[in-house]
Every structure is written in C-alpha cells, then in structure tokens.
Amino acid sequence: MDIRSLDIRYMATYTSFEIVEDGLRHRKSLPYLSMVQALEGSYDIALNGAPACSTGTGGVFIAPSEVMQEIVHHCSPATGKMRAQWLFLDVWVNGEYRLESLFDFPTLLPPEQALQFDPLLHKLDGLTDLCDRLAAAFPIVKLLLAAGTPKMAPDSQMLQIKNYI
C-alpha cells in the first residue's frame, strides 16, 4: 500500500509510573495502540493469549488497539520498585485505516529501536504546543513503521462496500 498521509488523531503520554508491588497483574484491552517501556524492573506481556515474553529493563512492548493484554509487573530486585512510561497513539493511514490494521507489530520493539524510544518520548512529553507535539510524535511513528511488517493490502472492493455502508 502506498502511504500518502499519516494522521495522529490521538496521543497521550505518561512518563512517571511507579509501583512497589511485585507481580501486580493487569488484564485489559485499550482503544489505542500503546507503547510501554520498563525503565526499572520489567514486564511480562502476552497479547490475545499468546505466550508471554519479558521486556527486561529498558524494553518496550507494543500492544495494538483492541487487543487483550495480560501484563505482569516485576520490580527491580535492587530497588524493590518498577518504573515505566508509555505512549498511547491512534494513527490513521491515508485517512481510512488504523496503522495496526495495515501493519503487524512485534510484541517487543527491537532493542536498537527501544534505545531510541526513551529520548523521543521524553522530548514529546516535555512539549505543550500541539504542533510541536505532533512533530515530535512522528519519529516514534517512524520507529513503529520500521518495526512493523505490512499486512496484505486492503481489498479496494471491500473498501468501497465499507464506505457505502
């Protein structure tokens, strides 16, 4: 598919999450794609019942919108706490498709890209002007696109039916 436009319709950041309860579990589904990084401690994450994988400290997991997430928080043995940060995104391609409907993303962002996530998220989180925030978010979208694998292009006939309905 030829990408002609990318539209960030929603984004929210949170860069100071901290817990002290090792083994805390969450089961949830969110309306937006989420990228979550363990800054201290780690996560075990399973999506839609797949086997769990561990982020390790510094690792970033990607959870597409509307996917069931099963998360276990693990505190650092050295400090007894877990710190994390995250970004929620709703990105649309060509005005018609959510990013995650066109790309499959790995559960864990590759390590070289995970290293880039922290400074990009902190830059984004420190901005208040909408134009500046959008400009700072696109390098993160670029990370997602680099990590993603394109799905089969949407059927144009199905698109016409969808638009008619």
Side-chain angles (χ1 to χ4, degrees), residues 22-43:
D22 190 58
L24 180 65
R25 295 177 181 274
H26 291 280
R27 190 170 197 272
K28 61 186 174 186
S29 175
L30 298 173
Y32 306 111
L33 180 141
S34 52
M35 297 179 75
V36 181
Q37 184 174 37
L39 298 171
E40 186 174 348
S42 65
Y43 284 104

Side-chain angles (χ1 to χ4, degrees), residues 11-30:
M11 76 177 137
T13 58
Y14 196 77
T15 58
S16 60
F17 176 75
E18 184 176 305
I19 66 161
V20 293
E21 182 184 339
D22 190 58
L24 180 65
R25 295 177 181 274
H26 291 280
R27 190 170 197 272
K28 61 186 174 186
S29 175
L30 298 173

Side-chain angles (χ1 to χ4, degrees), residues 10 19 27 33 43 47 54 59 63-64 66 85-87 91 95 102 106-107 114 124 131-132 141 153-154 161:
Y10 176 83
I19 66 161
R27 190 170 197 272
L33 180 141
Y43 284 104
L47 301 177
S54 177
E66 311 302 332
Q85 60 186 5
W86 61 82
L87 169 66
V91 179
L102 297 177
T107 303
L124 171 62
C131 290
D132 292 339
V141 173
I161 293 168

